[in-house]
Amino acid sequence: MTGVQTCALPIYQLTHLALHDSLTGLASRVLFEDRLSQANARIRRQGGLCAVLLLDLDDFKGVNDAYGHLIGDQLLVGIARRFELVTRRSDTLCRLGGDEFLYLAEGLTSAAEVDEVAERLLDVLTEAFEFSGITLVQHASVGVVVCDGTNSDANQYIQEADVALYEAKRLKKGHHVVFAPSMHEMAVNRFSLAQEMRQALKAGHLSMHYQPIVDLVSTEIIGFEALMRWQHPEQGWIPPNVFIPLAEQSELILELGSFAMHEALAAASSWGRLGDRSDELFVTVNLSAHQFHAPGLLAMIESALSESGLSPQRLIIEITESVALLNAAETTETMSLLMSLGIGVALDDFGTGYSSLSYLALLQPRIIKIDRSFVSPAQESEQHDTLLEAIVSLGLKLNTLMLAEGIETKEQLERLRHLGCQFGQGFLFSRAVPLIDVETMLARSTGTWGKEGLSV
């Protein structure tokens, strides 16, 4: 014999390892599905209800990116311990994998009890976590499916909870949504639309439109925001708030981002031949979190600049507050690299995210875009007016250019002028138009803005 020794674990330890998560000690999916099958069988025999809740942490990836997987693992364990505090003895708590947890609530008598279980789980995340001197605030979204015994497939219940989870994240993170059969049809439609989007990119059904950005004093056009549009051959125009989130769930967003960048820069490079100051017009291009933090971002932008011949000074990258603060250290580094090339950065939707004045001073964006909810609120109020004044004043004191979105009336324009806001865009000036209409727009008299109602 060779003297090689083997170490065999007792059967009960092997069984425990197979049925429990190695990090948190919670039930594994195998054990969860077995418990769910048993609960479902009891309901068919005795009546009653149970529920499956799928919990997914919001923005957990940012924790790993910012602090490493060790802190991320500690956070997962801490969350598991808190969930255990509100887990009834009759119920089963499982770590599905990554930052997802499953909860089986048994012995329910009404669907209303499901809401109570979901809120109890979400409430334990209200207090911040502390690890190695790091304070973390973590929330979760929950998809819920009520089980009445009519379906014997445990996997289908989990799949339906996943569909409800998507709705919860789409509507408002940090909340729960209960599955309805109509959601399955919507999920199928989303999948089909995502598949068609890939073909649309190849077939040329996706294009860039351009909304003018104007100097609020002279009302001269100083640039354009590039916005993607999709004209489906059968369904007509697909709204960006429908297809962009679909693309963000896959690597397709990187393809769309590259397409948008190349198209926008090529368009901007053509404006120089229109004379006057057209060769000074800038173009802004939006980037999602996935795009902004992608390893190949700078290479893609440099390639588009090289192909178009556009000066980097005429390109503005737009990111939202939430994207900027997802990983502040990485964001600062990327912005520094962009600025070293002469590229500007605009902070979009300012005032709607996790506004942090310290980070604002650190990031030093060239432009702050004031969200339309402050410019044209659903209901006018003194509070809204005070907030708008404070935002503009803050930007001016930081020597940052202020750009107001969603200007719809001459009264709003005059108010912004009075506050000292330099730039603006909105339906008072124009909707986003195809590239072919940009030349006509640049030739028009600036004095006619807002006098003819909504323009092109």
Side-chain angles (χ1 to χ4, degrees):
M1 297 182 63
T2 61
V4 175
Q5 296 181 347
T6 60
C7 180
L9 292 173
I11 295 298
Y12 75 89
Q13 287 186 313
L14 290 173
T15 302
H16 180 85
L17 289 173
L19 299 179
H20 293 81
D21 174 54
S22 59
L23 176 65
T24 63
L26 300 180
S28 67
R29 177 165 182 159
V30 173
L31 180 56
F32 184 89
E33 290 180 358
D34 179 66
R35 297 269 178 86
L36 177 55
S37 296
Q38 294 180 40
N40 211 30
R42 280 193 294 272
I43 291 172
R44 288 200 298 273
R45 293 193 308 268
Q46 305 168 8
L49 300 169
C50 71
V52 173
L53 297 87
L54 176 58
L55 302 97
D56 182 82
L57 303 182
D58 298 331
D59 302 324
F60 176 73
K61 182 179 181 297
V63 176
N64 280 335
D65 290 344
Y67 302 109
H69 288 272
L70 178 61
I71 294 296
D73 285 349
Q74 290 179 355
L75 178 59
L76 290 172
V77 172
I79 288 171
R81 299 292 82 84
R82 288 198 189 175
F83 284 160
E84 284 180 321
L85 293 175
V86 293
T87 299
R88 302 179 304 173
R89 298 184 68 177
S90 60
D91 298 345
T92 302
L93 176 63
C94 158
R95 181 185 174 216
L96 182 59
D99 61 340
E100 290 188 325
F101 296 82
L102 280 167
Y103 188 98
L104 172 60
E106 297 195 53
L108 305 178
T109 58
S110 71
E113 293 180 71
V114 175
D115 295 328
E116 296 175 6
V117 174
E119 291 305 317
R120 192 162 62 241
L121 289 164
L122 290 174
D123 284 347
V124 301
L125 300 180
T126 303
E127 186 179 345
F129 293 84
E130 295 272 354
F131 301 107
S132 304
I134 299 170
T135 301
L136 298 172
V137 177
Q138 187 62 229
H139 300 294
S141 299
V142 187
V144 184
V145 59
V146 179
C147 316
D148 59 5
T150 56
N151 179 17
S152 60
D153 187 352
N155 281 313
Q156 184 171 336
Y157 282 133
I158 296 173
Q159 180 183 354
E160 290 173 349
D162 191 42
V163 171
L165 174 64
Y166 177 90
E167 281 299 296
K169 284 187 172 289
R170 185 181 70 84
L171 294 172
K172 188 178 182 181
K173 290 182 178 181
H175 290 74
H176 77 278
V177 166
V178 179
F179 175 80
S182 59
M183 293 180 188
H184 183 264
E185 182 179 352
M186 289 190 292
V188 172
N189 291 338
R190 283 195 301 269
F191 178 79
S192 299
L193 203 60
Q195 297 300 307
E196 291 182 51
M197 203 187 320
R198 294 184 181 277
Q199 299 305 316
L201 186 57
K202 297 177 182 178
H205 296 153
L206 289 167
S207 61
M208 301 305 295
H209 285 207
Y210 302 88
Q211 185 175 36
I213 297 170
V214 305
D215 181 309
L216 294 188
V217 176
S218 66
T219 67
E220 288 183 313
I221 296 176
I222 55 173
F224 289 87
E225 179 178 2
L227 298 162
M228 189 173 293
R229 297 291 184 260
W230 178 10
Q231 187 169 28
H232 192 283
E234 298 172 359
Q235 301 180 38
W237 293 102
I238 306 293
N241 62 356
V242 171
F243 72 83
I244 295 296
L246 288 178
E248 288 179 345
Q249 296 171 31
S250 68
E251 294 298 311
L252 182 58
I253 190 64
L254 299 181
E255 294 182 48
L256 294 188
S258 178
F259 167 79
M261 186 67 66
H262 282 79
E263 288 289 303
L265 299 195
S269 68
S270 71
W271 298 334
R273 61 180 172 76
L274 300 179
D276 297 328
R277 297 175 55 197
S278 299
D279 59 347
E280 299 176 9
L281 298 175
F282 63 81
V283 63
T284 72
V285 182
N286 295 274
L287 294 183
S288 70
H290 195 168
Q291 293 170 272
F292 188 75
H293 294 289
L297 173 67
L298 289 174
M300 182 272 287
I301 293 176
E302 288 179 318
S303 171
L305 285 169
S306 176
E307 288 183 17
S308 66
L310 189 75
S311 166
Q313 284 74 21
R314 292 178 59 194
L315 171 61
I316 305 289
I317 298 297
E318 286 194 30
I319 58 174
T320 63
E321 281 184 277
S322 56
V323 170
L325 300 184
L326 184 61
N327 184 334
E330 183 181 314
T331 298
T332 304
E333 181 181 356
T334 301
M335 288 182 65
S336 295
L337 291 171
L338 290 171
M339 292 176 184
S340 69
L341 296 174
I343 299 168
V345 176
L347 201 58
D348 197 9
D349 297 339
F350 184 76
T352 63
Y354 317 109
S355 304
S356 170
L357 300 185
S358 60
Y359 280 129
L360 189 61
L362 178 66
L363 297 175
Q364 296 183 327
R366 183 185 300 181
I367 295 174
I368 291 178
K369 299 191 72 174
I370 307 170
D371 187 71
R372 65 180 60 248
S373 62
F374 298 101
V375 176
S376 53
Q379 291 185 329
E380 297 286 347
S381 70
E382 187 175 330
Q383 288 80 3
H384 273 109
D385 199 54
T386 301
L387 283 172
L388 177 60
E389 182 176 356
I391 291 172
V392 175
S393 176
L394 172 65
L396 295 179
K397 288 180 179 179
L398 290 173
N399 294 317
T400 303
L401 295 169
M402 302 302 292
L403 194 164
E405 296 182 286
I407 303 174
E408 298 178 354
T409 68
K410 288 182 286 185
E411 290 74 20
Q412 292 166 0
L413 171 60
E414 289 304 319
R415 175 60 177 155
L416 290 162
R417 282 172 169 168
H418 176 73
L419 293 176
C421 183
Q422 300 102 323
F423 302 154
Q425 63 187 106
F427 289 172
L428 176 65
F429 308 114
S430 175
R431 300 176 185 270
V433 300
L435 178 60
I436 194 172
D437 292 331
V438 169
E439 183 172 352
T440 302
M441 185 178 294
L442 290 173
R444 70 178 295 170
S445 169
T446 58
T448 63
W449 291 125
K451 294 183 178 179
E452 304 165 354
L454 296 182
S455 53
V456 181

